[in-house]
Amino acid sequence: MCQLLGMNANTPTDVTFSFTGFAQRAGRTADHTDGWGVAFFEGSGVRHFVDHQRAIDSPVAELIRRYPIKSRNVIAHIRKATQGAVSLENCHPFVRELWGSYWVFAHNGDLKDFRPRLHAHFRPVGSTDSEHAFCWIMQELWKSHAGVPSVEELTLTLRELAARIAPYGTFNFLLSNGRALWAHASTHLHSIERRHPFAVARLADEDLQVDFSAVTTPQDRVAVIATAPLTSNEQWTAFAPGELRVFVDGCRAA
């Protein structure tokens, strides 16, 4: 199975610390070595990086570890292939446009025989079950809402769509449109919300710690979602099977 990392914040924040520990799972502390990717929302745009090399020694991943790109919504993924070749077009996260906004999606799991009919606007480029599921979600969102819905309306629709896909296999995913970040768990997913008073956090996969009180303001709020907890000295909350959570401005909204 793959590994997921998401971040949602109320102010542009870098994900360097979390990504440094996360990347260790691509060959050092775990064997997720079939490619990786990360997407950062910035205003109406998205910085999107993918590489079919291991994140642990990818030059592009090294750039992400050293270049503190600030964003309010970030989705990252390291791949252990179950469907589709190890190739660039099969690397998550995937990006599509809907209602004049970019949407970013990453999936951890394996969906068996989920190949519903897709309309012309949303088509997969690669051969993964994940990208097919993403295209179907985009299609069904477009069909379900005449205009741009609220976060609350989107959450209700996504709960229904996730429940229709989940019977086909393991369906842990992260999805964002830059306004909110949705996270759904079939099996393993955890989250943490950091806010004032901030403290020291220590990575579980790397000998590194950071004192967040030295690099934040009392108004900052940051939510981090990961397949497995990234730090060893903080309290992460596990998702229940079938649970979908939405994060807005650095805290859980539902």
Side-chain angles (χ1 to χ4, degrees):
M1 294 294 180
C2 307
Q3 293 271 316
L4 298 171
L5 167 64
M7 185 197 73
N8 170 269
N10 68 337
T11 190
T13 303
D14 75 72
V15 74
T16 303
F17 175 72
S18 294
F19 185 80
T20 297
F22 184 66
Q24 305 307 307
R25 299 176 180 179
R28 182 167 296 166
T29 60
D31 59 348
H32 305 86
T33 57
D34 298 324
W36 69 278
V38 61
F40 303 84
F41 283 88
E42 291 187 53
S44 298
V46 169
R47 292 182 191 251
H48 183 215
F49 303 86
V50 292
D51 193 350
H52 63 282
Q53 298 183 55
R54 304 189 314 169
I56 193 66
D57 45 24
S58 163
V60 183
E62 182 63 19
L63 167 69
I64 303 304
R65 287 193 289 268
R66 295 185 178 275
Y67 180 23
I69 299 171
K70 293 185 181 293
S71 173
R72 292 180 60 185
N73 287 280
V74 178
I75 291 178
H77 179 276
I78 50 178
R79 187 175 182 229
K80 185 174 182 180
T82 53
Q83 295 187 37
V86 177
S87 59
L88 201 60
E89 65 268 24
N90 287 333
C91 291
H92 311 218
F94 304 105
V95 181
R96 292 293 190 278
E97 177 274 332
L98 178 61
W99 297 310
S101 297
Y102 287 116
W103 290 70
V104 174
F105 173 89
H107 167 226
N108 162 26
D110 188 18
L111 300 174
K112 300 296 187 185
D113 302 320
F114 183 76
R115 285 292 189 272
R117 182 180 177 185
L118 298 174
H119 297 170
H121 189 61
F122 300 105
R123 295 278 186 173
V125 176
S127 55
T128 64
D129 54 327
S130 307
E131 189 182 14
H132 198 104
F134 178 37
C135 289
W136 184 79
I137 288 172
M138 292 291 94
Q139 171 181 289
E140 296 305 302
L141 287 176
W142 177 78
K143 288 166 57 178
S144 300
H145 301 280
V148 182
S150 66
V151 170
E152 293 76 16
E153 291 172 316
L154 285 166
T155 301
L156 290 174
T157 305
L158 286 168
R159 281 203 175 100
E160 295 175 0
L161 297 178
R164 290 169 64 182
I165 298 175
Y168 289 87
T170 305
F171 194 49
N172 305 301
F173 75 78
L174 300 177
L175 174 71
S176 181
N177 62 353
R179 294 166 55 202
L181 192 153
W182 289 269
H184 176 268
S186 287
T187 53
H188 303 296
L189 208 58
H190 299 76
S191 69
I192 188 170
E193 296 178 29
R194 298 186 180 117
R195 62 185 69 197
H196 183 77
F198 291 92
V200 173
R202 290 191 298 271
L203 288 176
D205 297 87
E206 175 82 334
D207 185 16
L208 182 67
Q209 67 179 36
V210 64
D211 182 357
F212 283 115
S213 67
V215 293
T216 56
T217 73
Q219 292 74 41
D220 291 348
R221 296 192 305 273
V222 181
V224 180
I225 304 94
T227 300
L230 291 168
T231 55
S232 59
N233 66 325
E234 296 180 295
Q235 186 65 47
W236 292 69
T237 303
F239 284 57
E243 183 179 6
L244 183 136
R245 298 178 186 174
V246 57
F247 300 86
V248 178
D249 292 330
C251 57
R252 184 178 171 184

